[in-house]
Amino acid sequence: METVLSGIRSTGNLHLGNYFGAVKNFIKMQHEYKCFFFIADYHSLTTHPHPADLHANVKQVLVEYLACGIDPEVATIYIQSDLPEIAELYLLLNMNAYVGELERATTFKEKVRKQPDNVNAGLLTYPVLMAADILIHRAVKVPVGKDQEQHLEMARTFGNRFNRLYNTELFPEPFAFNFGTNLVKIPGLDGTGKMGKSEGEGNAIFLADTPEVIRKKVMRAVTDGGPKQENQEKPEVIQNIFMLMEVVSSKETYDHFNDLYNTMKIRYGDLKKQLAEDMINFTEPLRKRITELSSDEDYIHKVAKHGAEKARESASKTISEARRVIGFRHF
Ligand code: TYM
């Protein structure tokens, strides 16, 4: 059975971009593949979280994964920092990752632009750590949103390079995967493009947002002055609102507002009201489960422990083989 691996950084609550970009498909995938889903807490260190927040964030993402329907008895769910094997593979891969290629990564260039005062080596080698996450289980399918495509290409480069250098076939090539459909990019509400947790206030709708918060954020979403002619192409900000509607609303609702747009009868206030209600209908059951699970400390502890054991079993096999082909021997 093919191995699937995917992760989410523990830098904040899950939003609709995470859900529709990756998590939604995890639920179906877990029954068809050998699945590893993890919480990337090492990765979150690039932004220097306060120690008190780090643990709370990891717990929150774990709870939200479970609330979305990931079954810890079927898939393996674990926390990245519970697997020291990942850190070791990261070190080994770093020896053959070139500064030039890391500096050219789009995500790195974006971080340098956004946070010029914190350009740390962890940011530069972020794709190497991500490659280690994937290669440690020799995964071939990696469910991700469109923003992670370049990182997958780098993971293939690092795996292939290792294989060539040590004359081994240890690492298969991993590919971005979305269960037979195209990779998606869910837009944010502020007209800047992608929904993301590090974007501006009001950009993202979180699964744990209350109905009042969702209404407020959606009503403030950026729009324009309205269509100027019938059947015109939608400008990006409007396209974004419709794309969000496509994922949370029924086809009838989408078609209804699309027709109103095309016939120039649309009122953005009505469109946003409907979108907010459909987002609330979608997130409400998840929010309830998140609240319930959050208080079940015993269960969370059990899931994390069980996941770490299963994941380490897989990771330790890979790291032993990597050490062997490199030439490390015990005295
Ligand atoms: P992260 O935490 O930013 O996002 C987690 C997942 O959600 C997807 N995603 C989106 N998809 C569509 N539209 C959006 N607006 C959107 N925002 C986020 C991301 O593509 C991702 O699939 N580097 C990764 C975490 C990671 C990882 C890995 C993923 C670390 N190691 C190994 C896969 C395999 C990240 O920062 O994702």
Side-chain angles (χ1 to χ4, degrees), residues 59-280:
K59 179 186 159 190
Q60 185 66 23
V61 176
L62 179 58
V63 161
E64 293 186 350
Y65 256 156
L66 297 170
C68 288
I70 294 179
D71 183 345
E73 295 301 325
V74 180
T76 301
I77 306 169
Y78 62 96
I79 295 150
Q80 188 184 31
S81 63
D82 279 338
L83 267 67
E85 293 84 0
I86 295 173
E88 184 171 352
L89 184 58
Y90 165 62
L91 181 147
L92 301 177
L93 294 174
N94 263 328
M95 301 305 161
N96 299 302
Y98 301 108
V99 172
E101 66 189 336
L102 296 171
E103 280 173 341
R104 281 195 298 275
T106 317
T107 40
F108 178 70
K109 286 196 278 196
E110 213 173 277
K111 292 284 176 193
V112 172
R113 192 172 48 79
K114 278 194 185 158
Q115 49 183 72
D117 299 331
N118 178 24
V119 184
N120 58 64
L123 276 179
L124 184 68
T125 57
Y126 188 105
V128 188
L129 181 54
M130 191 161 152
D133 292 327
I134 299 166
L135 300 175
I136 199 76
H137 300 299
R138 298 190 242 183
V140 290
K141 288 186 154 62
V142 185
V144 282
K146 201 142 184 52
D147 59 324
Q148 300 293 323
E149 229 169 4
Q150 192 182 31
H151 286 158
L152 261 295
E153 193 185 327
M154 294 174 89
R156 287 192 291 278
T157 301
F158 300 141
N160 284 335
R161 195 174 288 159
F162 184 98
N163 287 351
R164 242 190 348 266
L165 271 166
Y166 297 108
N167 196 21
T168 172
E169 288 178 6
L170 181 58
F171 299 123
E173 285 194 316
F175 287 93
F177 171 64
N178 193 22
F179 220 62
T181 51
N182 291 335
L183 301 190
V184 298
K185 180 176 106 174
I186 302 295
L189 289 169
D190 59 1
T192 57
K194 191 185 116 172
M195 184 175 287
K197 41 200 157 203
S198 46
E199 308 303 322
E201 182 75 11
N203 162 286
I205 299 288
F206 296 99
L207 303 183
D209 275 347
T210 61
E212 300 75 59
V213 168
I214 294 179
R215 283 191 195 105
K216 212 181 264 169
K217 285 182 183 172
V218 175
M219 294 318 282
R220 285 199 196 129
V222 178
T223 49
D224 64 2
K228 303 253 180 317
Q229 53 181 325
E230 293 200 345
N231 298 314
Q232 72 166 63
E233 204 178 303
K234 298 184 187 80
E236 200 183 338
V237 283
I238 304 304
Q239 188 72 43
N240 288 352
I241 306 267
F242 273 91
M243 165 129 196
L244 289 167
M245 191 162 239
E246 205 176 329
V247 293
V248 294
S249 305
S250 69
K251 184 170 180 317
E252 290 70 39
T253 304
Y254 179 91
D255 288 346
H256 171 70
F257 283 97
N258 198 34
D259 286 346
L260 289 177
Y261 187 86
N262 286 335
T263 50
M264 297 172 67
K265 293 189 193 114
I266 194 147
R267 293 204 323 224
Y268 288 145
D270 296 343
L271 172 74
K272 289 177 177 180
K273 252 187 218 146
Q274 181 70 46
L275 178 62
E277 292 318 305
D278 289 341
M279 282 180 168
I280 292 165

